[in-house]
Amino acid sequence: MAENPKVFISYSHDSPEHKQWVSELAARLRHNGVDAILDQWDLGLGDDITRFMERGIVDADRVLVICTDTYVGKANADEGGVGYERMIVNAELVQNLGTDKFIPIIRQASGRKKTPIFLGTRFYADFRNDNQFNAECEKLIRELHEMPIVEKPPIGKSPFRSVEPDTQPTEIPEEVKSASAAYTTASKLVRAGDTFGWRELIKRIRPKVFKDLTQWRQDELDGQESNNEEPFEVSDKAVEIISPLMVVALAGVESGREEFRNQKSLFHDLQNLAEFNLTGVWDNIPHTLAYVYHSLHGSISLNTSQLDLAMGLVRVKIPDRYSPKRSCVWEISALMGWSELFGPNCVKGWEYIIKACERWEWLSPIFGDESEYKASLVAYYMALNIHELAAIIASSQQEKSNASNNIRFSPQPDTIPLLFMSENHDIYQRAISLLRLNPDAVIQLWTSLNVTHEQMKNSWGNWVRSCNSWLRSPSISSSVSRPNCYQNIRDYEDFFEML
């Protein structure tokens, strides 16, 4: 299947409202990487309607058949355009017995027959309930991209006799010399479901990584390397040393498989680099590495529709060296982009992480290209921002319950940097699409804190205005693109209407 599967949409013009519904479905598909072909867009005055339908159905990777009572009736009676499409479909079926090219979409079916006779008993997508539109849409998009929600487990060995494995086991090198090599090996192990090989790979990488970090620290202490390096250069050296472990963890997250996806342990390792008892910029290396890792972890989680996994990491409570209490990862500003290594505000921290693909070539095999990485990172920080509002509302509820009078509620962003709102509008739109792909997971951002949808919606306008004020602050405004911010803020204000 191509990266952007081509899909032809066959439907009957029952009513203006039905045409609009079909158009909205097609638009949702296009926003999520599906090349949807629709007569409303692709058929112009003077075009040959017959040829359009013929080429559309034959050339498409999949065909969506929008089944309404009207469509089913016309198709079974060979009436109009629908009748002609039926002939083409039948011709295709003759040539492709058993094909899954045609997907029935049940929109309205008050009668006994939900689908035309020519579609037989094919499994259909049920879009009759508008309240289930987002959930059904996600299933459909996953089907078109060949990314099922439930992955078929690999077949095991017979317990009754010895059999030869179908494939050769993945060879794990004694020394993994680069992040790219580590990712290649980890990906093969994940695909094979080889948890033993996975643990063995980590055993071979981990000691060398931390030995190299210790040696680098000693070189700095001994003055063998310059102490006048730029913060980005210092951080890049640390990231490059740790990168083989990072990519192995990211490969596990990317797989979505339960036995590999939980990769919190590396975050704890990075936070607990006690041997980095240095002065100056190197004192902040553990926090900086943790900032980089959770940002990459969150990005690949959003890229693979695993928002719950991203939030599971940032909700972990850890010691905060600036506070006597333990705090959630997302509550510690030094881990969210305000790293002291990069200066007094979050601008440099965001610049460092958003431009990661320009410096770390090992990210390309994971995300595909720079724009996909940026969209995933923006979607992650957007989710963190939404979660911050929910946490503020939850905290306000607690304060009100402990107070004799009502406390005025005016939510203000504080911990999560909002630089994601200054990115290119196309990147921003792609990020919103990633969040909308799994609306139930987005809603969990606040329901998990016992905050209602109504409370979030009522606070959303004030929250977005507060975010806009934050972006206009003197320390930030000179570093962001105002046109991008203006356009993105407007889209963000409409976010709840999109869910």
Side-chain angles (χ1 to χ4, degrees), residues 385-396 400 407-415 418 455-470:
N385 174 258
I386 296 169
H387 176 263
E388 183 177 17
L389 170 59
I392 292 172
I393 295 174
S395 177
S396 174
K400 287 180 181 179
I407 297 173
R408 185 176 180 183
F409 179 60
S410 180
Q412 297 288 328
D414 180 48
T415 306
L418 305 176
Q455 288 173 314
M456 287 291 289
K457 191 171 183 178
N458 290 341
S459 302
W460 188 249
N462 287 335
W463 178 253
V464 174
R465 284 188 286 276
S466 296
C467 291
N468 192 25
S469 297
W470 188 95

Side-chain angles (χ1 to χ4, degrees), residues 131-158:
N131 292 330
Q132 296 296 318
F133 179 83
N134 288 324
E136 289 299 318
C137 213
E138 182 189 356
K139 293 178 187 176
L140 178 59
I141 290 167
R142 283 182 171 274
E143 170 66 24
L144 296 175
H145 281 292
E146 298 182 349
M147 294 291 291
I149 294 176
V150 180
E151 186 171 316
K152 185 177 181 179
I155 189 168
K157 294 181 179 180
S158 167

Side-chain angles (χ1 to χ4, degrees), residues 61-116:
D61 296 307
R62 308 294 288 272
V63 177
L64 304 186
V65 182
I66 313 297
C67 299
T68 61
D69 294 334
T70 301
Y71 187 102
V72 172
K74 286 184 176 181
N76 288 342
D78 291 346
E79 294 179 13
V82 173
Y84 183 78
E85 288 178 67
R86 171 187 174 278
M87 289 189 291
I88 298 172
V89 169
N90 274 342
E92 281 280 288
L93 287 175
V94 169
Q95 297 173 29
N96 301 282
L97 291 176
T99 182
D100 62 354
K101 180 172 183 174
F102 304 96
I103 304 176
I105 305 292
I106 309 301
R107 176 57 183 157
Q108 299 166 348
S110 58
R112 186 170 57 85
K113 296 179 179 178
K114 296 184 178 68
T115 64

Side-chain angles (χ1 to χ4, degrees), residues 202-234:
I202 293 175
K203 287 179 185 177
R204 296 187 185 184
I205 294 177
R206 194 175 185 277
K208 182 179 186 306
V209 162
F210 288 102
K211 178 181 177 182
D212 289 347
L213 279 172
T214 303
Q215 184 61 53
W216 178 59
R217 178 203 64 173
Q218 192 61 48
D219 290 343
E220 298 295 346
L221 288 174
D222 293 344
Q224 296 177 14
E225 297 187 14
S226 171
N227 288 333
N228 298 317
E229 292 176 295
E230 291 293 325
F232 279 21
E233 295 176 353
V234 174

Side-chain angles (χ1 to χ4, degrees), residues 105 173 177 185 246 282 334 355 359 373 398 434 440 457:
I105 305 292
K177 297 182 178 179
T185 303
M246 280 192 181
W282 295 283
K355 294 183 177 180
R359 299 189 310 279
Y373 163 71
Q398 183 63 37
L434 286 173
D440 291 340
K457 191 171 183 178

Side-chain angles (χ1 to χ4, degrees), residues 190 198 249-264 293 297 301 304-310:
V190 165
W198 176 274
L250 296 178
V253 173
E254 181 184 31
S255 74
R257 299 176 65 158
E258 285 300 324
E259 64 268 42
F260 297 107
R261 69 193 290 258
N262 185 348
Q263 296 297 327
K264 295 176 184 176
Y293 176 61
H297 176 280
S301 296
T304 54
S305 296
Q306 299 181 90
L307 177 55
D308 64 315
L309 194 62

